Amino acid sequence: CIHQLFEQQVQKDPGSVAVMFADQQLTYGELNERANQLARYLRDLGVGPDTTVGLCVERSLEMVVGLLAILKAGGAYVPLDPEYPLERLSFMLEDTQVPVLLTQEHLVDRLPVHYGQTILLDSDSDMWASEAHDDPDNVTAAENLAYVSYTSGSTGLPKGVEITHRAVARLVCGVDYASLAPDEVFLQLAPLTFDASTFEIWASLINGARLVVMPPRTPSLKELAQAIDQRGITTLWLTAGL
């Protein structure tokens, strides 16, 4: 499972930097502990194997913690782009029937009303601050869901595609199409709703590398070039046009 592969990297080098965002950073150990606490809280709310959990966040440290916590709880994340029209967000929430939605305080007003519980990753952290820091027991297998990705809906209603842990591991473990090693520095630029983010995030964190998360807004080419240079980016995924 994805989170178990991540935990193996934590055991190897808990003090190495896992993720950087602006002037903030988390080591593998720190990221693991934060995700463990949130995961335990999500389990208390009933999240388990194949439970879908909505995730509507901008690029941030909270985004990475939320992703990892959902998987550690046993659930599957459903990425929701805050820039999507309200109708599309409403459809996705209704279609997946997520019992829990993770978001950020400044995005709440952009979200439709839904029957599940809303948790603010950036301002509700006191709710799980007393949870244990150690890894929760693993309750998922390779064939359990890791996330649900929706199609564009250009030929009708958007369709949710179910992606398993095995599929993600196949993409980023033991491959020869790119160098995926601890000395790599990955750039996280794609929206969570775009499958490129799967490679950016998990190829980095599963292989002990460093993940640099770009600010939420779309960067200019000059800003992108500066980030690559200043952060020492070695691996990034861009569309052919860009």
Side-chain angles (χ1 to χ4, degrees):
C1 294
I2 301 170
H3 51 285
Q4 289 181 299
L5 294 170
F6 168 80
E7 289 164 4
Q8 291 175 11
Q9 297 301 328
V10 175
Q11 294 173 0
K12 290 179 181 178
D13 192 359
S16 66
V17 176
V19 57
M20 302 178 70
F21 173 76
D23 59 351
Q24 303 170 290
Q25 67 180 37
L26 291 174
T27 65
Y28 271 84
E30 291 167 340
L31 174 57
N32 193 50
E33 289 185 356
R34 288 198 190 186
N36 286 342
Q37 288 183 294
L38 179 55
R40 291 177 179 278
Y41 182 71
L42 292 176
R43 284 218 184 148
D44 293 340
L45 297 178
V47 175
D50 296 333
T51 303
T52 53
V53 178
L55 185 65
C56 187
V57 292
E58 293 181 326
R59 287 193 296 270
S60 58
L61 291 183
E62 288 85 9
M63 177 193 74
V64 182
V65 172
L67 286 169
L68 193 55
I70 292 169
L71 297 180
K72 281 173 170 281
Y77 59 91
V78 181
L80 303 162
D81 193 325
E83 298 300 322
Y84 278 168
L86 203 61
E87 283 187 8
R88 181 176 172 90
L89 292 174
S90 295
F91 170 78
M92 294 168 69
L93 288 170
E94 183 176 349
D95 195 45
T96 53
Q97 293 289 291
V98 297
V100 180
L101 171 62
L102 305 183
T103 187
Q104 294 162 303
E105 188 171 9
H106 67 282
L107 298 178
V108 171
D109 292 340
R110 302 190 202 177
L111 298 173
V113 176
H114 70 106
Y115 81 96
Q117 180 171 349
T118 298
I119 296 175
L120 308 180
L121 291 173
D122 52 352
S123 56
D124 284 345
S125 56
D126 287 348
M127 297 167 66
W128 54 88
S130 61
E131 297 283 355
H133 291 78
D134 56 322
D135 296 329
D137 293 337
N138 178 53
V139 294
T140 50
E143 296 305 325
N144 284 118
L145 290 183
Y147 68 97
V148 178
S149 181
Y150 273 79
T151 62
S152 65
S154 57
T155 59
L157 285 176
K159 299 173 181 64
V161 180
E162 298 179 331
I163 311 297
T164 64
H165 283 261
R166 183 187 300 277
V168 177
R170 176 64 185 86
L171 175 69
V172 298
C173 291
V175 298
D176 59 5
Y177 63 83
S179 176
L180 308 181
D183 58 350
E184 299 292 329
V185 183
F186 288 74
L187 187 68
Q188 205 289 293
L189 179 63
L192 281 182
T193 52
F194 180 29
D195 263 346
S197 65
T198 303
F199 171 81
E200 292 172 339
I201 295 168
W202 300 119
S204 174
L205 297 180
I206 281 177
N207 291 290
R210 180 175 300 183
L211 182 66
V212 175
V213 180
M214 285 291 286
R217 60 186 178 80
T218 302
S220 66
L221 287 177
K222 182 178 180 180
E223 289 171 330
L224 182 58
Q226 288 175 337
I228 293 170
D229 181 49
Q230 293 172 359
R231 298 291 195 176
I233 303 298
T234 62
T235 306
L236 70 161
W237 182 319
L238 300 178
T239 61
L242 184 56

PDB file of all heavy atoms in Angstrom, residues 167-198:
ATOM      1  N   ALA A 167      -2.175   0.102  -8.459  1.00  0.00           N
ATOM      2  CA  ALA A 167      -1.941   0.865  -9.681  1.00  0.00           C
ATOM      3  C   ALA A 167      -0.938   1.995  -9.444  1.00  0.00           C
ATOM      4  O   ALA A 167      -0.067   2.258 -10.287  1.00  0.00           O
ATOM      5  CB  ALA A 167      -3.264   1.434 -10.205  1.00  0.00           C
ATOM      6  N   VAL A 168      -1.054   2.672  -8.300  1.00  0.00           N
ATOM      7  CA  VAL A 168      -0.121   3.766  -7.994  1.00  0.00           C
ATOM      8  C   VAL A 168       1.282   3.206  -7.769  1.00  0.00           C
ATOM      9  O   VAL A 168       2.272   3.753  -8.266  1.00  0.00           O
ATOM     10  CB  VAL A 168      -0.594   4.561  -6.760  1.00  0.00           C
ATOM     11  CG1 VAL A 168       0.424   5.651  -6.413  1.00  0.00           C
ATOM     12  CG2 VAL A 168      -1.962   5.175  -7.007  1.00  0.00           C
ATOM     13  N   ALA A 169       1.372   2.107  -7.024  1.00  0.00           N
ATOM     14  CA  ALA A 169       2.678   1.496  -6.771  1.00  0.00           C
ATOM     15  C   ALA A 169       3.331   1.060  -8.082  1.00  0.00           C
ATOM     16  O   ALA A 169       4.546   1.199  -8.264  1.00  0.00           O
ATOM     17  CB  ALA A 169       2.525   0.305  -5.829  1.00  0.00           C
ATOM     18  N   ARG A 170       2.524   0.553  -8.999  1.00  0.00           N
ATOM     19  CA  ARG A 170       3.059   0.116 -10.300  1.00  0.00           C
ATOM     20  C   ARG A 170       3.642   1.303 -11.069  1.00  0.00           C
ATOM     21  O   ARG A 170       4.617   1.156 -11.814  1.00  0.00           O
ATOM     22  CB  ARG A 170       1.936  -0.545 -11.117  1.00  0.00           C
ATOM     23  CG  ARG A 170       2.356  -0.954 -12.528  1.00  0.00           C
ATOM     24  CD  ARG A 170       3.427  -2.023 -12.494  1.00  0.00           C
ATOM     25  NE  ARG A 170       3.919  -2.338 -13.824  1.00  0.00           N
ATOM     26  CZ  ARG A 170       4.884  -1.689 -14.455  1.00  0.00           C
ATOM     27  NH1 ARG A 170       5.474  -0.653 -13.867  1.00  0.00           N
ATOM     28  NH2 ARG A 170       5.276  -2.053 -15.656  1.00  0.00           N
ATOM     29  N   LEU A 171       3.068   2.472 -10.879  1.00  0.00           N
ATOM     30  CA  LEU A 171       3.519   3.668 -11.590  1.00  0.00           C
ATOM     31  C   LEU A 171       4.863   4.174 -11.080  1.00  0.00           C
ATOM     32  O   LEU A 171       5.679   4.671 -11.868  1.00  0.00           O
ATOM     33  CB  LEU A 171       2.471   4.786 -11.451  1.00  0.00           C
ATOM     34  CG  LEU A 171       2.825   6.155 -12.032  1.00  0.00           C
ATOM     35  CD1 LEU A 171       2.866   6.100 -13.558  1.00  0.00           C
ATOM     36  CD2 LEU A 171       1.825   7.214 -11.559  1.00  0.00           C
ATOM     37  N   VAL A 172       5.117   4.046  -9.771  1.00  0.00           N
ATOM     38  CA  VAL A 172       6.267   4.746  -9.179  1.00  0.00           C
ATOM     39  C   VAL A 172       7.250   3.849  -8.431  1.00  0.00           C
ATOM     40  O   VAL A 172       8.173   4.354  -7.801  1.00  0.00           O
ATOM     41  CB  VAL A 172       5.775   5.870  -8.225  1.00  0.00           C
ATOM     42  CG1 VAL A 172       4.970   6.904  -8.997  1.00  0.00           C
ATOM     43  CG2 VAL A 172       4.945   5.303  -7.081  1.00  0.00           C
ATOM     44  N   CYS A 173       7.076   2.546  -8.483  1.00  0.00           N
ATOM     45  CA  CYS A 173       8.001   1.644  -7.789  1.00  0.00           C
ATOM     46  C   CYS A 173       8.733   0.753  -8.791  1.00  0.00           C
ATOM     47  O   CYS A 173       8.100   0.107  -9.631  1.00  0.00           O
ATOM     48  CB  CYS A 173       7.249   0.763  -6.798  1.00  0.00           C
ATOM     49  SG  CYS A 173       6.582   1.648  -5.389  1.00  0.00           S
ATOM     50  N   GLY A 174      10.056   0.715  -8.686  1.00  0.00           N
ATOM     51  CA  GLY A 174      10.849  -0.190  -9.504  1.00  0.00           C
ATOM     52  C   GLY A 174      10.719   0.039 -10.996  1.00  0.00           C
ATOM     53  O   GLY A 174      10.727  -0.911 -11.771  1.00  0.00           O
ATOM     54  N   VAL A 175      10.623   1.295 -11.401  1.00  0.00           N
ATOM     55  CA  VAL A 175      10.440   1.613 -12.813  1.00  0.00           C
ATOM     56  C   VAL A 175      11.763   2.065 -13.431  1.00  0.00           C
ATOM     57  O   VAL A 175      12.719   2.412 -12.722  1.00  0.00           O
ATOM     58  CB  VAL A 175       9.375   2.707 -12.999  1.00  0.00           C
ATOM     59  CG1 VAL A 175       8.033   2.228 -12.473  1.00  0.00           C
ATOM     60  CG2 VAL A 175       9.783   3.996 -12.291  1.00  0.00           C
ATOM     61  N   ASP A 176      11.818   2.078 -14.771  1.00  0.00           N
ATOM     62  CA  ASP A 176      13.055   2.469 -15.452  1.00  0.00           C
ATOM     63  C   ASP A 176      12.861   3.645 -16.411  1.00  0.00           C
ATOM     64  O   ASP A 176      13.757   3.968 -17.169  1.00  0.00           O
ATOM     65  CB  ASP A 176      13.654   1.273 -16.207  1.00  0.00           C
ATOM     66  CG  ASP A 176      12.693   0.703 -17.243  1.00  0.00           C
ATOM     67  OD1 ASP A 176      11.606   1.280 -17.443  1.00  0.00           O
ATOM     68  OD2 ASP A 176      13.028  -0.332 -17.846  1.00  0.00           O
ATOM     69  N   TYR A 177      11.677   4.279 -16.381  1.00  0.00           N
ATOM     70  CA  TYR A 177      11.437   5.398 -17.287  1.00  0.00           C
ATOM     71  C   TYR A 177      11.926   6.730 -16.721  1.00  0.00           C
ATOM     72  O   TYR A 177      11.981   7.736 -17.423  1.00  0.00           O
ATOM     73  CB  TYR A 177       9.950   5.506 -17.640  1.00  0.00           C
ATOM     74  CG  TYR A 177       9.039   5.798 -16.463  1.00  0.00           C
ATOM     75  CD1 TYR A 177       8.843   7.096 -16.000  1.00  0.00           C
ATOM     76  CD2 TYR A 177       8.361   4.770 -15.816  1.00  0.00           C
ATOM     77  CE1 TYR A 177       8.027   7.361 -14.921  1.00  0.00           C
ATOM     78  CE2 TYR A 177       7.540   5.029 -14.746  1.00  0.00           C
ATOM     79  CZ  TYR A 177       7.367   6.327 -14.306  1.00  0.00           C
ATOM     80  OH  TYR A 177       6.550   6.582 -13.233  1.00  0.00           O
ATOM     81  N   ALA A 178      12.292   6.754 -15.438  1.00  0.00           N
ATOM     82  CA  ALA A 178      12.811   7.966 -14.804  1.00  0.00           C
ATOM     83  C   ALA A 178      13.627   7.557 -13.594  1.00  0.00           C
ATOM     84  O   ALA A 178      13.473   6.452 -13.063  1.00  0.00           O
ATOM     85  CB  ALA A 178      11.671   8.893 -14.386  1.00  0.00           C
ATOM     86  N   SER A 179      14.497   8.459 -13.149  1.00  0.00           N
ATOM     87  CA  SER A 179      15.282   8.209 -11.945  1.00  0.00           C
ATOM     88  C   SER A 179      14.452   8.600 -10.733  1.00  0.00           C
ATOM     89  O   SER A 179      14.157   9.776 -10.525  1.00  0.00           O
ATOM     90  CB  SER A 179      16.577   9.028 -11.979  1.00  0.00           C
ATOM     91  OG  SER A 179      17.296   8.861 -10.767  1.00  0.00           O
ATOM     92  N   LEU A 180      14.049   7.618  -9.946  1.00  0.00           N
ATOM     93  CA  LEU A 180      13.247   7.862  -8.747  1.00  0.00           C
ATOM     94  C   LEU A 180      14.063   7.400  -7.541  1.00  0.00           C
ATOM     95  O   LEU A 180      14.027   6.248  -7.153  1.00  0.00           O
ATOM     96  CB  LEU A 180      11.919   7.098  -8.831  1.00  0.00           C
ATOM     97  CG  LEU A 180      11.090   7.292 -10.106  1.00  0.00           C
ATOM     98  CD1 LEU A 180       9.794   6.490 -10.038  1.00  0.00           C
ATOM     99  CD2 LEU A 180      10.805   8.763 -10.358  1.00  0.00           C
ATOM    100  N   ALA A 181      14.805   8.336  -6.985  1.00  0.00           N
ATOM    101  CA  ALA A 181      15.739   7.991  -5.912  1.00  0.00           C
ATOM    102  C   ALA A 181      15.731   9.092  -4.857  1.00  0.00           C
ATOM    103  O   ALA A 181      15.245  10.204  -5.092  1.00  0.00           O
ATOM    104  CB  ALA A 181      17.148   7.820  -6.494  1.00  0.00           C
ATOM    105  N   PRO A 182      16.284   8.811  -3.667  1.00  0.00           N
ATOM    106  CA  PRO A 182      16.262   9.797  -2.577  1.00  0.00           C
ATOM    107  C   PRO A 182      16.947  11.119  -2.892  1.00  0.00           C
ATOM    108  O   PRO A 182      16.654  12.135  -2.250  1.00  0.00           O
ATOM    109  CB  PRO A 182      16.977   9.057  -1.441  1.00  0.00           C
ATOM    110  CG  PRO A 182      16.735   7.625  -1.720  1.00  0.00           C
ATOM    111  CD  PRO A 182      16.780   7.502  -3.212  1.00  0.00           C
ATOM    112  N   ASP A 183      17.877  11.141  -3.858  1.00  0.00           N
ATOM    113  CA  ASP A 183      18.569  12.402  -4.146  1.00  0.00           C
ATOM    114  C   ASP A 183      17.831  13.253  -5.180  1.00  0.00           C
ATOM    115  O   ASP A 183      18.328  14.308  -5.575  1.00  0.00           O
ATOM    116  CB  ASP A 183      19.999  12.128  -4.613  1.00  0.00           C
ATOM    117  CG  ASP A 183      20.054  11.249  -5.849  1.00  0.00           C
ATOM    118  OD1 ASP A 183      19.007  10.695  -6.243  1.00  0.00           O
ATOM    119  OD2 ASP A 183      21.158  11.113  -6.426  1.00  0.00           O
ATOM    120  N   GLU A 184      16.644  12.830  -5.602  1.00  0.00           N
ATOM    121  CA  GLU A 184      15.859  13.611  -6.556  1.00  0.00           C
ATOM    122  C   GLU A 184      15.034  14.676  -5.832  1.00  0.00           C
ATOM    123  O   GLU A 184      14.685  14.528  -4.656  1.00  0.00           O
ATOM    124  CB  GLU A 184      14.923  12.697  -7.363  1.00  0.00           C
ATOM    125  CG  GLU A 184      15.626  11.637  -8.182  1.00  0.00           C
ATOM    126  CD  GLU A 184      16.428  12.229  -9.331  1.00  0.00           C
ATOM    127  OE1 GLU A 184      16.033  13.283  -9.869  1.00  0.00           O
ATOM    128  OE2 GLU A 184      17.463  11.629  -9.688  1.00  0.00           O
ATOM    129  N   VAL A 185      14.730  15.757  -6.565  1.00  0.00           N
ATOM    130  CA  VAL A 185      13.862  16.819  -6.057  1.00  0.00           C
ATOM    131  C   VAL A 185      12.726  17.002  -7.064  1.00  0.00           C
ATOM    132  O   VAL A 185      12.960  17.410  -8.204  1.00  0.00           O
ATOM    133  CB  VAL A 185      14.622  18.152  -5.857  1.00  0.00           C
ATOM    134  CG1 VAL A 185      13.693  19.203  -5.251  1.00  0.00           C
ATOM    135  CG2 VAL A 185      15.843  17.941  -4.973  1.00  0.00           C
ATOM    136  N   PHE A 186      11.510  16.695  -6.644  1.00  0.00           N
ATOM    137  CA  PHE A 186      10.345  16.745  -7.517  1.00  0.00           C
ATOM    138  C   PHE A 186       9.582  18.054  -7.336  1.00  0.00           C
ATOM    139  O   PHE A 186       9.488  18.576  -6.222  1.00  0.00           O
ATOM    140  CB  PHE A 186       9.386  15.594  -7.205  1.00  0.00           C
ATOM    141  CG  PHE A 186       9.877  14.246  -7.648  1.00  0.00           C
ATOM    142  CD1 PHE A 186      10.903  13.598  -6.958  1.00  0.00           C
ATOM    143  CD2 PHE A 186       9.304  13.608  -8.725  1.00  0.00           C
ATOM    144  CE1 PHE A 186      11.338  12.349  -7.352  1.00  0.00           C
ATOM    145  CE2 PHE A 186       9.734  12.350  -9.129  1.00  0.00           C
ATOM    146  CZ  PHE A 186      10.755  11.722  -8.446  1.00  0.00           C
ATOM    147  N   LEU A 187       9.011  18.555  -8.408  1.00  0.00           N
ATOM    148  CA  LEU A 187       8.157  19.739  -8.344  1.00  0.00           C
ATOM    149  C   LEU A 187       6.698  19.308  -8.394  1.00  0.00           C
ATOM    150  O   LEU A 187       6.307  18.530  -9.268  1.00  0.00           O
ATOM    151  CB  LEU A 187       8.447  20.686  -9.513  1.00  0.00           C
ATOM    152  CG  LEU A 187       7.720  22.038  -9.460  1.00  0.00           C
ATOM    153  CD1 LEU A 187       8.248  22.883  -8.300  1.00  0.00           C
ATOM    154  CD2 LEU A 187       7.877  22.788 -10.773  1.00  0.00           C
ATOM    155  N   GLN A 188       5.904  19.803  -7.449  1.00  0.00           N
ATOM    156  CA  GLN A 188       4.467  19.515  -7.459  1.00  0.00           C
ATOM    157  C   GLN A 188       3.739  20.740  -8.001  1.00  0.00           C
ATOM    158  O   GLN A 188       3.615  21.763  -7.350  1.00  0.00           O
ATOM    159  CB  GLN A 188       3.974  19.187  -6.053  1.00  0.00           C
ATOM    160  CG  GLN A 188       2.722  18.310  -6.021  1.00  0.00           C
ATOM    161  CD  GLN A 188       1.466  19.024  -6.464  1.00  0.00           C
ATOM    162  OE1 GLN A 188       1.023  19.938  -5.773  1.00  0.00           O
ATOM    163  NE2 GLN A 188       0.881  18.640  -7.593  1.00  0.00           N
ATOM    164  N   LEU A 189       3.236  20.606  -9.222  1.00  0.00           N
ATOM    165  CA  LEU A 189       2.647  21.728  -9.944  1.00  0.00           C
ATOM    166  C   LEU A 189       1.239  21.433 -10.436  1.00  0.00           C
ATOM    167  O   LEU A 189       0.408  22.328 -10.534  1.00  0.00           O
ATOM    168  CB  LEU A 189       3.546  22.086 -11.135  1.00  0.00           C
ATOM    169  CG  LEU A 189       3.113  23.218 -12.058  1.00  0.00           C
ATOM    170  CD1 LEU A 189       3.066  24.540 -11.291  1.00  0.00           C
ATOM    171  CD2 LEU A 189       4.077  23.327 -13.239  1.00  0.00           C
ATOM    172  N   ALA A 190       0.937  20.179 -10.726  1.00  0.00           N
ATOM    173  CA  ALA A 190      -0.345  19.811 -11.319  1.00  0.00           C
ATOM    174  C   ALA A 190      -1.472  19.871 -10.290  1.00  0.00           C
ATOM    175  O   ALA A 190      -1.262  19.609  -9.100  1.00  0.00           O
ATOM    176  CB  ALA A 190      -0.260  18.408 -11.908  1.00  0.00           C
ATOM    177  N   PRO A 191      -2.689  20.192 -10.719  1.00  0.00           N
ATOM    178  CA  PRO A 191      -3.842  20.085  -9.815  1.00  0.00           C
ATOM    179  C   PRO A 191      -4.019  18.636  -9.367  1.00  0.00           C
ATOM    180  O   PRO A 191      -3.677  17.701 -10.101  1.00  0.00           O
ATOM    181  CB  PRO A 191      -5.021  20.523 -10.700  1.00  0.00           C
ATOM    182  CG  PRO A 191      -4.410  21.257 -11.847  1.00  0.00           C
ATOM    183  CD  PRO A 191      -3.065  20.653 -12.067  1.00  0.00           C
ATOM    184  N   LEU A 192      -4.563  18.436  -8.165  1.00  0.00           N
ATOM    185  CA  LEU A 192      -4.792  17.083  -7.676  1.00  0.00           C
ATOM    186  C   LEU A 192      -5.752  16.312  -8.577  1.00  0.00           C
ATOM    187  O   LEU A 192      -5.732  15.082  -8.609  1.00  0.00           O
ATOM    188  CB  LEU A 192      -5.360  17.112  -6.254  1.00  0.00           C
ATOM    189  CG  LEU A 192      -4.388  17.359  -5.111  1.00  0.00           C
ATOM    190  CD1 LEU A 192      -5.124  17.294  -3.786  1.00  0.00           C
ATOM    191  CD2 LEU A 192      -3.241  16.365  -5.141  1.00  0.00           C
ATOM    192  N   THR A 193      -6.593  17.042  -9.299  1.00  0.00           N
ATOM    193  CA  THR A 193      -7.557  16.393 -10.183  1.00  0.00           C
ATOM    194  C   THR A 193      -6.923  15.896 -11.473  1.00  0.00           C
ATOM    195  O   THR A 193      -7.579  15.219 -12.268  1.00  0.00           O
ATOM    196  CB  THR A 193      -8.688  17.381 -10.532  1.00  0.00           C
ATOM    197  OG1 THR A 193      -8.114  18.606 -11.013  1.00  0.00           O
ATOM    198  CG2 THR A 193      -9.530  17.694  -9.304  1.00  0.00           C
ATOM    199  N   PHE A 194      -5.662  16.226 -11.703  1.00  0.00           N
ATOM    200  CA  PHE A 194      -4.936  15.791 -12.895  1.00  0.00           C
ATOM    201  C   PHE A 194      -3.990  14.668 -12.477  1.00  0.00           C
ATOM    202  O   PHE A 194      -3.257  14.792 -11.501  1.00  0.00           O
ATOM    203  CB  PHE A 194      -4.162  16.979 -13.473  1.00  0.00           C
ATOM    204  CG  PHE A 194      -3.363  16.677 -14.713  1.00  0.00           C
ATOM    205  CD1 PHE A 194      -3.739  15.687 -15.606  1.00  0.00           C
ATOM    206  CD2 PHE A 194      -2.210  17.395 -14.993  1.00  0.00           C
ATOM    207  CE1 PHE A 194      -2.992  15.409 -16.741  1.00  0.00           C
ATOM    208  CE2 PHE A 194      -1.460  17.148 -16.125  1.00  0.00           C
ATOM    209  CZ  PHE A 194      -1.854  16.144 -17.006  1.00  0.00           C
ATOM    210  N   ASP A 195      -3.996  13.557 -13.217  1.00  0.00           N
ATOM    211  CA  ASP A 195      -3.219  12.382 -12.821  1.00  0.00           C
ATOM    212  C   ASP A 195      -1.715  12.640 -12.724  1.00  0.00           C
ATOM    213  O   ASP A 195      -1.002  11.863 -12.096  1.00  0.00           O
ATOM    214  CB  ASP A 195      -3.477  11.227 -13.796  1.00  0.00           C
ATOM    215  CG  ASP A 195      -4.532  10.272 -13.260  1.00  0.00           C
ATOM    216  OD1 ASP A 195      -4.843  10.354 -12.066  1.00  0.00           O
ATOM    217  OD2 ASP A 195      -5.032   9.444 -14.038  1.00  0.00           O
ATOM    218  N   ALA A 196      -1.227  13.706 -13.341  1.00  0.00           N
ATOM    219  CA  ALA A 196       0.197  14.022 -13.206  1.00  0.00           C
ATOM    220  C   ALA A 196       0.574  14.210 -11.743  1.00  0.00           C
ATOM    221  O   ALA A 196       1.707  13.914 -11.339  1.00  0.00           O
ATOM    222  CB  ALA A 196       0.534  15.277 -14.006  1.00  0.00           C
ATOM    223  N   SER A 197      -0.365  14.680 -10.928  1.00  0.00           N
ATOM    224  CA  SER A 197      -0.073  14.890  -9.504  1.00  0.00           C
ATOM    225  C   SER A 197       0.217  13.569  -8.801  1.00  0.00           C
ATOM    226  O   SER A 197       0.966  13.529  -7.820  1.00  0.00           O
ATOM    227  CB  SER A 197      -1.235  15.615  -8.815  1.00  0.00           C
ATOM    228  OG  SER A 197      -2.407  14.812  -8.816  1.00  0.00           O
ATOM    229  N   THR A 198      -0.366  12.480  -9.293  1.00  0.00           N
ATOM    230  CA  THR A 198      -0.090  11.160  -8.710  1.00  0.00           C
ATOM    231  C   THR A 198       1.391  10.842  -8.822  1.00  0.00           C
ATOM    232  O   THR A 198       2.025  10.383  -7.862  1.00  0.00           O
ATOM    233  CB  THR A 198      -0.913  10.076  -9.430  1.00  0.00           C
ATOM    234  OG1 THR A 198      -2.298  10.413  -9.353  1.00  0.00           O
ATOM    235  CG2 THR A 198      -0.682   8.711  -8.805  1.00  0.00           C
TER     236      THR A 198
END
